[in-house]
């Protein structure tokens, strides 16, 4: 039996320049919301060159709106196609979805960038540019993993479904569209920027708005009114207490390095309309974290019940309760058993390549993994080469070594998960993961 690991490793080394050029080309194609077509054309061309079955389409906003998990600030997706490439297996193996988003957040204040945000500049083993770490570098790792298998003549038994999707940064409409198009598998892998940590669990999140009422009066006789701004301070402190309560009951060891596993962030506060008037209305907007094993409805109910307790702290709220509404973006929480066979395969191959145990944690942010798990019935793991601390920041970068190490780990994981057809004496036979790659236990 040929040494598969050595062949994959050598192929990755030999194609390092090719992979670097592909990533640089993708970074140089800005793919902010509504502008993804150029970058997706690069992806589609590469998948076509690899001989994959290509499916490209612009999601139907009118159809997506009918789904309870849909959110997007726009209703139509022209110039924003999803691209799927299918590497068909020979049959009898487990399938997998490799899901990465092509959309990137805006580049922000360009004066804070050392180079053009879409330069793809390479310095000291790092590539810089908006989206290089979140998450085009991860997408390139997926592509290289598949290409390494194909060009080494390795046939998998299970199907590999590569998805380059839009709209992850806005709530996951691209992945939802792929699920509704019928794409499901036995498991999924998402190469979000984890610093090569493995995340079997991802928190969810959703946006909320609270309207706090006061009573208007002239500023000269403010004692005749009730300031909504002052009352909002009571509401904010009350929400902080809820955050403490919710996090105190989380004992999952995967969160031991996360100071606040499921934060409640208050991002917007607006109130008052005249300096000489007592403000009678304040609007507070925020993001509520949702635990991996919690449903979004459970989190909503807890927030609503908690706000009703405000009347116990301040009589004003008994007659003037704050109004809670849920709006905007939401990310579904997701979880996979830490002993899932895909987890075991990924951990084993990480050890083989990195020579050490991986760090296994719960994600501090939401991903499309929740949609794949709960809507697509495809349990998902998050593992990628990007640098968590620089995603969405000026001078975003990725360590190129990690892109190629991740590609190698994923290629070997695909063999172990999907199974491989082996050739012996001119006869094709099914190889097991133990005989090909060693026991993964």
């Amino acid at each position: 039996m040929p040494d598969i690991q050595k062949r994959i490793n050598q192929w990755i080394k030999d194609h390092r320049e090719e992979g670097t050029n592909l990533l640089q080309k993708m970074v140089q194609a800005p793919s902010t919301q509504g502008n993804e077509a150029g970058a997706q054309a690069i992806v589609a061309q590469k998948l076509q060159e690899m001989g994959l079955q290509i499916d490209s389409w612009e999601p139907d906003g009118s159809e997506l709106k009918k789904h309870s998990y849909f959110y997007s600030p726009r209703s139509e997706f022209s110039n924003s196609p999803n691209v799927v490439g299918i590497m068909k297996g020979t049959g009898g193996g487990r399938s997998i979805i490799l899901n990465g988003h092509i959309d990137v957040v805006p580049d922000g204040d360009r004066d804070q960038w050392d180079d053009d945000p879409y330069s793809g500049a390479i310095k000291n083993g790092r590539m810089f540019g908006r989206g290089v770490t979140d998450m085009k570098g991860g997408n390139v790792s997926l592509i290289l993993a598949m290409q390494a298998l194909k060009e080494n003549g390795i046939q998998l038994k299970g199907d590999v479904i590569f998805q380059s999707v839009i709209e992850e940064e806005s709530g996951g409409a691209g992945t939802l569209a792929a699920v509704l198009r019928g794409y499901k598998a036995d498991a999924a892998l998402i190469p979000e920027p984890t610093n090569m940590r493995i995340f079997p669990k991802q928190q969810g999140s959703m946006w909320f708005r609270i309207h706090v009422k006061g009573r208007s009066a002239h500023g000269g006789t403010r004692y005749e009114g009730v300031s909504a701004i002052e009352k909002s301070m009571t509401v904010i402190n009350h929400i902080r207490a809820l955050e403490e309560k919710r996090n105190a009951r989380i004992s999952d060891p995967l969160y031991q390095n996360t100071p606040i596993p499921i934060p409640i962030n208050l991002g917007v506060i607006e109130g008052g309309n005249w300096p000489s008037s007592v403000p009678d209305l304040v609007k507070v907007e925020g993001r509520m974290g949702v635990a991996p094993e919690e449903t979004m409805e459970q989190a909503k109910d807890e927030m609503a019940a908690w706000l009703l307790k405000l009347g116990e702290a301040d009589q004003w709220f008994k007659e003037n309760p704050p109004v809670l509404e849920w709006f905007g973006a939401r990310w579904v929480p997701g979880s996979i058993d830490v002993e899932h066979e895909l987890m075991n395969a990924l951990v084993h191959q990480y050890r083989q390549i990195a020579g050490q145990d991986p760090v296994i944690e719960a994600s501090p942010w939401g991903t499309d993994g929740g949609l794949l798990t709960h809507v697509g019935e495809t349990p998902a793991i998050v593992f990628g080469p990007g640098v968590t601390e620089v995603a969405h920041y000026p001078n975003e970068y990725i360590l190129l070594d990690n892109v190629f190490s991740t590609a190698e780990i994923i290629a070997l994981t695909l063999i172990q998960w999907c199974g491989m057809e082996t050739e012996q004496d001119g006869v094709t036979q099914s190889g097991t993961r133990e005989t090909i790659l060693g026991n993964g236990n």
Side-chain angles (χ1 to χ4, degrees), residues 379-400:
I381 297 171
V382 180
F383 165 73
V387 184
T388 309
E389 295 79 9
V390 301
H392 298 202
Y393 281 62
N395 297 318
E396 179 181 345
Y397 70 87
I398 198 167
L399 301 171
L400 290 171

Side-chain angles (χ1 to χ4, degrees), residues 299-339:
K300 287 181 178 181
D301 290 345
E302 186 170 20
M303 171 72 86
W306 188 255
L307 290 178
L308 289 176
K309 294 178 179 292
L310 274 165
E312 300 172 8
D314 187 327
Q315 185 70 27
W316 171 258
F317 293 109
K318 287 188 176 181
E319 298 296 327
N320 303 275
V323 177
L324 171 66
E325 62 176 302
W326 302 93
F327 77 105
R330 73 210 72 169
W331 286 265
V332 186
S335 179
I336 192 171
D337 192 290
V338 293
E339 294 298 328

